[in-house]
């Protein structure tokens, strides 16, 4: 045995030395950076590459729900709370413990006679069961059940946040793509304008200043297109992050957008507020947490009362000495435990739990007001986006007609280049507004669904 222990220590020594051999020196002076060595295990993995294709927004959202770290963390938290509920429920069952004992003993002799050494061994089985505790166990189980409910509701809200994040990022990508397309059209129009100005300059019908002004407008439009391309790249990066896709991968997304139906004029804000109060998981999670605190207070109050428990034990004792006969032992009894004095700990625990319940109920009331504000703001955004789409269509038609008229007037020699460029700038702004209108409309509905605690219909159907 001694040799085995020495060999075990020798084998373990290099591992301990390796773990403690790294020297961690602090910076030598203020303002100096710490050159961090490999103090921590490396978790760097090979970057994912290639193209990822999705054929619908529901498929992209489902991928985000399955791969985002936030979704995994919320699920693991719910699993942990479910395990804690199982552990709390186990208090309703008896505890059965098995043991195996081996003892070597020698009694002392007062007469000087030799006393033999005895070697006892044998199994034993113990049973412990709480018969009655004035509801302390039931209250503890209820508290953990409400905690699990709150965790599951918070998990739902975390998933809704992921869904809204993906939708918002996708609509931003669509808006950025539309802006790039609008700027490209504007660039082509200004290029055609410059060609027309050059023709007039060569024919002596326009001054060189007109050509310079047209070239400046073309350069400005090219800068605007480059800025739109930059914004598109940033929007796609944000979408990858929201969908749980590596930045080194290429996204292939192309599907027609289904615009939501117009908001019914008969839709009442009061109905939406009532729906949000019924469906918002975070609001119900706070209420569940308040009920958990109430159950904790009941458990603390019940713990101040006596408890009755059953205890039983049975065993068999055997001897290595052949002349000794085995023996069996058992005992059964009940124990009444009466908490006489604990310094006021249980009473203080009950008061603290009651105050926590009141605090969480107040937090739920405050959250209800926040939910109402979010619903009202999202509702107004939807109404504005709905009305803006009709006005932007009229604005684009007017700007397009004005640009064509200004072009015709300039080419006929009865209009100025400034008038034409101004009309083209108005058309560019109208084109950009039109490109943004549908995305704003979709994003507003997404915010309203999130404020109401809804899930998108397409995602709900795909999950069935």
């Amino acid at each position: 045995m001694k040799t085995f222990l020495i060999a075990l220590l020798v084998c373990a020594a290099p591992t301990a030395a390796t773990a403690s051999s790294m020297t961690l020196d602090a910076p030598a002076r203020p303002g100096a950076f710490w050159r961090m060595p490999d103090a921590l295990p490396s978790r760097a993995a090979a970057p994912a590459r290639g193209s990822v294709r999705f054929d619908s927004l529901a498929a992209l959202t489902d991928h985000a729900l399955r791969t985002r770290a936030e979704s995994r963390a919320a699920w693991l938290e719910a699993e942990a709370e479910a395990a804690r509920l199982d552990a709390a429920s186990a208090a309703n069952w008896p505890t059965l413990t098995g043991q195996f004992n081996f003892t070597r003993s020698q009694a002392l002799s007062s007469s000087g006679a030799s006393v033999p050494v005895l070697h006892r061994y044998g199994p034993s089985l113990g049973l412990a069961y709480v018969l009655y505790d004035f509801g302390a166990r039931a209250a503890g189980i209820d508290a953990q059940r409400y905690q699990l409910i709150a965790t599951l509701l918070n998990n739902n809200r975390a998933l809704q946040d992921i869904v809204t994040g993906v939708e918002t990022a996708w609509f931003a990508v669509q808006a950025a793509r539309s802006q790039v397309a609008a700027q490209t059209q504007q660039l082509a129009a200004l290029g055609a304008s410059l060609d027309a100005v050059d023709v007039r300059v060569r024919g002596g019908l326009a001054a060189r200043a007109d050509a310079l002004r047209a070239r400046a407008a073309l350069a400005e439009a090219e800068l605007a297109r480059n800025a739109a391309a930059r914004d598109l790249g940033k929007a796609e990066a944000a979408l990858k992050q929201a969908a749980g896709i590596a930045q080194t991968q290429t996204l292939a997304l192309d599907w027609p957008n289904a615009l939501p139906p117009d908001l019914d004029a008969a839709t009442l804000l009061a109905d939406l507020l009532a729906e949000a109060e019924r469906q918002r998981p975070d609001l119900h999670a706070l209420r569940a947490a308040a009920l958990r605190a109430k159950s904790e207070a009941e458990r603390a109050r019940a713990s101040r009362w006596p408890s009755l428990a059953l205890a039983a034990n049975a065993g068999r004792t055997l001897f290595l000495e052949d002349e000794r006969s085995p023996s069996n032992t058992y005992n059964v009894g009940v124990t009444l435990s009466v908490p006489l004095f604990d310094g006021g700990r249980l009473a203080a625990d009950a008061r603290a739990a009651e105050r926590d319940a009141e605090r969480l109920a107040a937090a739920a009331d405050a959250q209800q007001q926040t939910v109402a504000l979010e619903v009202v703001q999202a509702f107004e955004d939807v109404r504005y986006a709905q009305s803006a789409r009709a006005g932007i269509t009229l604005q684009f038609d007017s700007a397009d007609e004005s640009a064509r008229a200004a072009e015709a007037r300039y080419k006929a020699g009865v209009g100025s280049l400034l008038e034409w460029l101004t009309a083209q700038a108005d058309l560019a702004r109208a084109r950009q507004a039109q490109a943004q209108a549908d995305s704003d409309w979709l994003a507003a509905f997404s915010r309203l669904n999130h404020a109401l605690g809804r899930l998108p219909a397409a995602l709900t159907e795909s999950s069935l």
Side-chain angles (χ1 to χ4, degrees):
M1 178 63 72
K2 189 174 184 180
T3 305
F4 173 74
L5 291 175
I6 294 174
L8 184 61
L9 291 174
V10 170
C11 293
T15 304
T18 302
S20 61
S21 60
M22 183 178 296
T23 302
L24 300 178
D25 295 327
R29 57 178 178 80
F33 288 94
W34 178 50
R35 303 295 182 179
M36 185 177 68
D38 297 331
L40 299 175
S42 176
R43 295 186 58 190
R49 300 186 183 277
S51 178
V52 184
R53 178 177 295 275
F54 298 95
D55 58 0
S56 66
L57 180 58
L60 180 64
T61 303
D62 183 67
H63 178 273
L65 291 174
R66 287 185 288 105
T67 58
R68 280 285 295 270
E70 293 86 347
S71 175
R72 187 167 63 255
W75 179 80
L76 290 172
E77 183 180 3
E79 287 290 301
E81 293 299 339
R84 293 188 182 97
L85 177 59
D86 292 339
S89 301
N92 285 329
W93 294 87
T95 301
L96 193 63
T97 306
Q99 292 181 339
F100 187 88
N101 300 316
F102 179 83
T103 59
R104 182 179 185 272
S105 63
Q106 184 178 21
L108 296 177
S109 174
S110 60
S111 62
S114 176
V115 178
V117 176
L118 297 180
H119 298 83
R120 295 181 177 87
Y121 67 95
S124 63
L125 195 63
L127 175 69
Y129 182 50
V130 177
L131 299 176
Y132 189 72
D133 59 359
F134 287 91
R137 287 174 298 173
I141 294 172
D142 287 342
Q144 186 56 44
R145 182 177 290 109
Y146 285 125
Q147 179 62 36
L148 176 58
I149 292 173
T151 302
L152 293 173
L153 289 168
N154 286 326
N155 172 71
N156 288 351
R157 192 55 180 172
L159 298 183
Q160 289 178 354
D161 292 340
I162 292 175
V163 170
T164 302
V166 172
E167 289 181 343
T168 302
W170 166 241
F171 299 146
V173 167
Q174 286 187 307
R177 287 178 177 177
S178 300
Q179 292 296 334
V180 170
Q183 294 294 347
T184 302
Q185 293 178 4
Q186 175 68 1
L187 192 63
L190 289 174
S193 301
L194 179 60
D195 293 339
V197 171
D198 287 339
V199 170
R200 290 178 60 83
V201 169
R202 286 194 299 269
L205 301 176
R208 186 171 178 272
D210 287 350
L212 295 175
R213 187 179 293 113
R215 286 191 179 90
L218 182 63
E220 183 180 357
E222 187 171 359
L223 289 175
R225 186 191 62 177
N226 293 340
R230 175 207 62 193
D231 293 340
L232 175 59
K234 294 167 67 174
E236 289 178 346
L239 178 59
K240 291 178 184 178
Q241 190 275 335
I245 297 171
Q247 296 294 338
T248 52
Q249 291 182 294
T250 303
L251 268 178
L253 307 172
D254 189 14
W255 57 77
N257 266 334
L259 294 178
D262 289 346
L263 191 66
D264 190 357
T267 301
L268 297 178
L269 181 59
D271 295 336
L272 296 179
L273 292 174
E275 180 182 355
E277 187 172 353
R278 290 193 308 269
Q279 296 190 159
R280 279 289 290 261
D282 50 341
L283 181 58
H284 290 291
L286 285 172
R287 292 170 178 169
L291 292 174
R292 175 195 59 78
K294 287 184 178 180
S295 297
E296 289 286 356
E298 293 175 2
R299 182 192 61 79
R301 285 193 294 267
S303 298
R304 301 174 63 187
W305 290 88
S307 63
L308 187 65
L310 171 69
N313 185 275
R316 181 173 177 82
T317 303
L318 299 98
F319 299 87
L320 292 180
E321 292 75 19
D322 295 337
E323 66 275 9
R324 296 282 182 170
S325 299
S327 62
N328 298 323
T329 59
Y330 71 92
N331 59 76
V332 178
V334 292
T335 302
L336 179 65
S337 299
V338 181
L340 299 177
F341 180 74
D342 61 358
R345 178 180 60 85
L346 292 176
D349 288 343
R351 288 198 308 273
E354 290 172 354
R355 295 301 175 266
D356 279 340
E358 295 172 359
R359 174 183 61 82
L360 290 168
D365 293 339
Q367 181 65 14
Q368 184 176 359
Q369 299 300 320
T370 302
V371 168
L373 176 61
E374 292 175 358
V375 171
V376 172
Q377 291 176 339
F379 178 71
E380 295 298 334
D381 286 343
V382 169
R383 293 178 60 186
Y384 170 76
Q386 180 174 313
S387 62
R389 291 175 69 236
I392 288 173
T393 301
L394 178 61
Q395 176 188 1
F396 176 79
D397 292 340
S398 300
D400 184 52
E401 184 177 354
S402 175
R404 287 198 301 268
E407 179 182 2
R409 286 170 56 82
Y410 180 77
K411 290 180 178 179
V414 295
S416 66
L417 178 62
L418 180 60
E419 178 189 0
W420 188 12
L421 293 177
T422 301
Q424 285 183 327
D426 292 339
L427 178 60
R429 286 191 293 270
R431 188 180 288 118
Q432 294 169 16
Q434 187 181 45
Q436 188 73 34
D438 288 343
S439 296
D440 290 344
W441 170 241
L442 291 167
F445 255 100
S446 177
R447 289 193 298 273
L448 179 60
N449 286 333
H450 185 257
L452 293 173
R454 293 175 180 172
L455 282 179
L459 182 62
T460 305
E461 292 170 1
S462 67
S463 301
L464 297 178

